[in-house]
Every structure is written in C-alpha cells, then in structure tokens.
C-alpha cells in the first residue's frame, strides 16, 4: 500500500475535519483485503515486542477523558508512588474539579488543566509529560495515541485501541517509528483467575492448547440508551451503524496470551455471524414515545445483531470462539475457557473451574493450584490491588505493572501488536458479517516477528520496586 493510499484512507476513515474538532466519527474502513495483505507482507521498521524503553524514574502522566473510566484511573494511579498525574483533560470542564479533588485529598499537587475540543492536542504537545493515558470514546483512541507518540510520549489507551484496520496500521507504524510504547489497557489480562490459568498453561498443565473461548456478554441495554450514561450517547451510536463484534478485547486478550499469539503463533483467518436485532430498535421506539425529541433519531436504524459469534483459526491450527452480546438479559460473562490435551479451565458461568478429566477438581484442589501457580505480580500487589479496587483489583494491577515497567525500562506485557490485533477483530467481524459470514484473513501486524517473539514475562525480574501509598480501609 503506498503512503498516498494510506493517507487517503486515513482521511476518509477518520474524517479529518471532525477529528480536528475532537468529535467522534462513525467512519468505515475502506481498505481492501489486497491492501491489507500487501502492506502486511512488508518488513517492520522496528520490533516493539520485547522493546525496553529508557527508564523513567518518575512517570509524569496526562489523562485525557475524565468520565466513567478516566475518573477511576485518576483514583488508582494516585496510589502509585513515582506516578505523578501532572495533566488532566476533558472537553467538559465541569468534570475536572472532581479529579483534582481526588489528587488533593491524597496530599498531591493539582494537575494542569486542559479543556475544549482540542485541549487533548495541547496536552500531548506539553513538554512535561511522559505517558498519555486515554479514556475517551472509541473513535478518538487512535488519533490521540498517534498524536501522543508523534509528540514524544508513550501512549496507553482504553479498549478497543482502534476501530478500523487502517487505524491499526497507523498505530503500528507510529510506535515502530517513534519507539514509543503503545499499550491498550486490557484490564482482564490482570484478572486473578486469568493470570492463574496463563501461568498454568505456561507450565504445561493443560498440555498443548487446542481451543479457547472468550466473550463480552454484558447487559448494557439500559445504559446504552441512558441520557447521561455516555457523552453525546456515543456508545449507542456505535451500535446503530456497525454490525459485528464491537468489543472483542476483554474476552480475547487473556486467551490470546495463553495461546502465545504474536509470540509463537498468529491468527490466520476468521468468520463471523450476527443474529438479527430483536431488542435495540424496539427499545428506541419505546424511548421515543417517552422523549421523541431525543430518541426519534435512533428509531429505524440498522442496529447490530444482538448476538455475534466469531471463530478464529490460528496458523498452528488452534481455534478461538468469541461472542459479543450487550443487549440480552443475561448474567455477565467473559467465558474464559482454555482447552488442551491434558485439561481445561473455565471461569464462566461462575464459579471458576478446572478439570483434568471428566469431572471438575474439588475446591481444595483448586486452592492448591492457586497456592502453587499464582504469578509473582499477584503475590506482590494482589492484596493491595483488591483494596484499591477497579474490577476487583485487576485495574490497579494493570496500572501498577505499566508504571513499574516504564520506571525500570522493561518491555510491556501488552505491546502495540497485541492491542491492534485484539482490536482488529471488530472491523474484521463487520466485514465477514457483511459478506454472509465469509472467511476474512487476519493481518499479521508483527510482520513475521511472531515466530521469534518471546512469551509474556510472568516474573517481576528487573522490576517490582514501585511502591504504593498507604491504602486506607474503607
């Protein structure tokens, strides 16, 4: 793909004018399969997997977006010594004082404030920031991360980190060119059971892994249609025009690590199928009766199917099943199933279970496995993480590990190739669904380096020295 072709695609896909204004854009990826494959056949300019950036003794952080996720990030990061929140940004200035109070309540200095539709650009351009932490609507994740890296900052973004194939390549190219880390903040990789099963898989307890399953099944129907749940109802707008697995990374991240994807194996091709929409248009019509001025615009839209199922085959012949359903009245589930030649682990439906034969092991046997195979990070900060909180503590472990790696010049557990690969399932699933579930090839963002990349390090070797401020009992 030529540079002119990529520039054209970016302008069309992202909507240059709207991004400059800081507004979400619901564009489509216009790149063809041939474009993707030809670009993927090129050579990486630099391999970011295993890259150790120069040490940063005190990590100065700028946070963009102070809504649901951003406000929580301020609280968690404020507990980490040597992590200094120096800048806060939101296009709604009324959200900034609460974040400032979170800092001052801990005896920390107030951060510099940025607001307005282009305040995030000024934050990225600032010379006193090492890490830009992005908690904005999905359509802004890539442009903000790219801009941060181009301005000499490491970037960390909420999920998904990209919504088109071309955005994924932008992130890869920029990270490789600038040698700045670009991490997608996939917190489920730091769930206690997910980490246990990763370590067990690494030690061969499940034998050769054959199949894995992940999902994001979460009843968000009411919140997606809520008047104040998401700014400008951006999440509902994503659902009204995109048909596929819009949120694949929570279920995919941990099982991809178990399968050593990008580090010994790669995703090869996939198929995806969606049900019809049986709920979202009906909800829009009901809401329009109550408040026609707000909800009439959402009636009659081509909403995504309520359930999407995608199946991925890896280069080594292993399979992955992913599901996405955020409308049906079902209990929360990420599935998290890994199945091998010697055993199986499954988290949902709860309780979490492991088997090495026809029956699940007994609770005391599971406890013994936790005692033996709990990774070092959990033993080191797991109890503190539970006290700080954030989805049971996995959010805090993710933040702590990110800061600890930056401080000690260690490779990140999740690099740019992981973030874009787990995210690209979104647009690829849309493409497969639109083609009556025909096979779609998955790009190799590592451009061949998956064959020699090392697995994720489960030790704290070279780090583990980042301290935590006192956590008061609630």
């Amino acid at each position: 793909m030529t540079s002119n072709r990529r520039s054209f695609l970016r302008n069309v896909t992202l909507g240059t004018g709207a991004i400059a204004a800081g507004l979400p854009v619901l564009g489509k990826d216009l790149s063809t399969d041939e474009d993707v494959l030809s670009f993927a056949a090129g050579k990486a300019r630099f391999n970011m997997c295993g890259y150790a950036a120069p040490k940063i003794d005190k990590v100065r952080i700028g946070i963009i977006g102070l809504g649901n996720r951003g406000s929580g990030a301020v609280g968690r990061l404020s507990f980490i010594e040597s992590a200094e929140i120096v800048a806060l940004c939101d296009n709604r200035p009324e959200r900034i004082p609460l974040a400032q109070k979170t800092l001052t309540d801990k005896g920390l200095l107030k951060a510099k404030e940025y607001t307005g539709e282009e305040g995030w650009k000024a934050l990225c351009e600032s010379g006193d920031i090492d890490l830009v932490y992005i908690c904005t609507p999905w359509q802004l994740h890539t442009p903000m991360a790219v801009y941060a890296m181009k301005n000499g900052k490491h970037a960390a973004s909420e999920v998904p980190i990209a919504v088109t194939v071309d955005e994924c390549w932008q992130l890869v190219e920029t990270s490789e060119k600038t040698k700045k880390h670009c991490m997608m903040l996939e917190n489920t990789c730091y769930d206690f059971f997910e980490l246990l099963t990763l370590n067990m898989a690494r030690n061969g307890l499940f034998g050769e892994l054959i199949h894995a399953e992940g999902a994001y099944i979460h009843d968000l129907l009411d919140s997606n249609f809520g008047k104040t749940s998401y700014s400008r109802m951006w999440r509902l707008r994503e659902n009204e025009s995109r048909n596929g697995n819009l949120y694949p990374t929570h279920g995919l991240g941990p099982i991809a690590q178990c399968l050593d994807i990008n580090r010994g194996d790669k995703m090869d091709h996939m198929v995806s199928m969606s049900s019809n929409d049986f709920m979202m248009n009906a909800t829009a019509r009901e809401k329009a009766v109550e408040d026609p001025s707000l909800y009439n615009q959402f009636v009659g839209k081509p909403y995504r199917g309520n359930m999407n199922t995608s199946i991925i085959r890896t280069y080594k012949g292993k399979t992955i099943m992913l599901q996405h359903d955020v409308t049906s009245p079902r209990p929360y589930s990420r599935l998290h199933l890994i199945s091998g030649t010697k055993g199986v682990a499954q988290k949902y439906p709860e309780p979490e279970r492991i088997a090495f034969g026809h029956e699940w092991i007994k609770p005391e046997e599971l406890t013994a496995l936790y005692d033996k195979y709990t990774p070092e990070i959990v033993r080191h900060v797991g109890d503190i993480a539970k006290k700080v909180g954030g989805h049971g503590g996995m959010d805090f472990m993710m933040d702590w590990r990110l800061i600890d790696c930056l401080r000690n010049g260690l490779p990140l557990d999740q690099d740019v190739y992981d973030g874009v690969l787990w995210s690209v399932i979104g647009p690829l699933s849309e493409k497969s669904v639109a083609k009556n579930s025909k096979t779609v090839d998955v790009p190799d963002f590592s451009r061949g380096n998956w064959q020699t990349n090392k697995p994720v390090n489960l030790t704290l070797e070279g780090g583990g020295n980042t301290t935590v401020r006192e956590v008061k009992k609630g």
Side-chain angles (χ1 to χ4, degrees), residues 445-461:
F445 294 105
S446 79
R447 287 178 279 206
N449 285 321
W450 62 270
Q451 298 171 83
T452 54
N453 288 339
K454 304 298 183 186
V456 175
N457 185 6
L458 291 180
T459 76
L460 296 179
E461 183 180 357

Side-chain angles (χ1 to χ4, degrees), residues 105-221:
D105 283 352
K106 289 189 175 67
L108 305 175
L109 296 175
K110 283 188 174 182
K112 188 175 180 179
E113 299 180 3
Y114 296 85
T115 190
E117 295 297 344
E118 293 196 354
W120 62 272
K121 287 187 175 181
L123 182 149
C124 291
E125 293 165 358
S126 174
D128 60 353
I129 294 173
D130 303 303
L131 171 68
V132 175
Y133 197 108
I134 302 163
C135 305
T136 59
W138 302 343
Q139 297 284 343
L140 293 174
H141 289 176
T142 292
M144 289 179 172
V146 166
Y147 200 74
M149 288 186 284
K150 285 184 175 180
N151 279 275
K153 316 298 190 294
H154 296 299
S157 170
E158 283 293 346
V159 303
I161 202 168
V163 293
T164 71
V165 176
D166 191 63
E167 282 189 340
C168 292
W169 282 117
Q170 288 182 57
L171 291 166
V172 169
E173 284 191 287
T174 306
S175 183
E176 290 178 352
K177 183 177 180 179
T178 62
K179 295 185 181 179
K180 291 298 178 182
H181 287 304
C182 182
M183 174 180 168
M184 183 173 68
L185 297 164
E186 186 39 78
N187 57 352
T188 64
C189 290
Y190 297 89
D191 176 271
F192 293 80
F193 187 70
E194 269 89 324
L195 282 169
L196 172 71
T197 53
L198 174 59
N199 199 22
M200 289 177 62
R202 188 70 56 78
N203 281 275
L205 271 74
F206 302 113
E208 180 78 9
L209 294 186
I210 301 167
H211 176 74
E213 298 180 6
Y216 189 67
I217 297 172
H218 190 186
D219 184 3
L220 297 173
L221 186 64

Side-chain angles (χ1 to χ4, degrees), residues 30 55 95 103 127 152 161 163 185 195 221 282 292 305 324 397 429 462:
L30 302 182
K55 297 180 181 180
R95 290 201 165 189
L103 300 178
I161 202 168
V163 293
L185 297 164
L195 282 169
L221 186 64
H324 175 269
M397 278 202 293
S429 68

Side-chain angles (χ1 to χ4, degrees), residues 217-231:
I217 297 172
H218 190 186
D219 184 3
L220 297 173
L221 186 64
D222 289 340
S223 63
N224 279 348
F225 278 92
K227 296 180 180 180
T228 60
S229 300
Y230 301 98
S231 176

Side-chain angles (χ1 to χ4, degrees), residues 36 72 142 155 188 204 233 239 243 246 285 289 293 348-349 352 374 380 416 426 465:
V36 169
T142 292
T188 64
M233 302 182 77
N239 287 267
N243 192 8
L246 307 191
R285 288 193 296 269
V289 172
S293 62
Y348 299 95
E352 53 202 35
T374 291
H380 190 66
V416 65
N465 54 6

Side-chain angles (χ1 to χ4, degrees), residues 248-263:
T249 72
H250 281 339
L252 180 55
I255 60 177
Q257 289 188 331
C258 287
L259 290 166
D260 285 335
I261 299 298
N262 282 337
R263 296 170 172 82

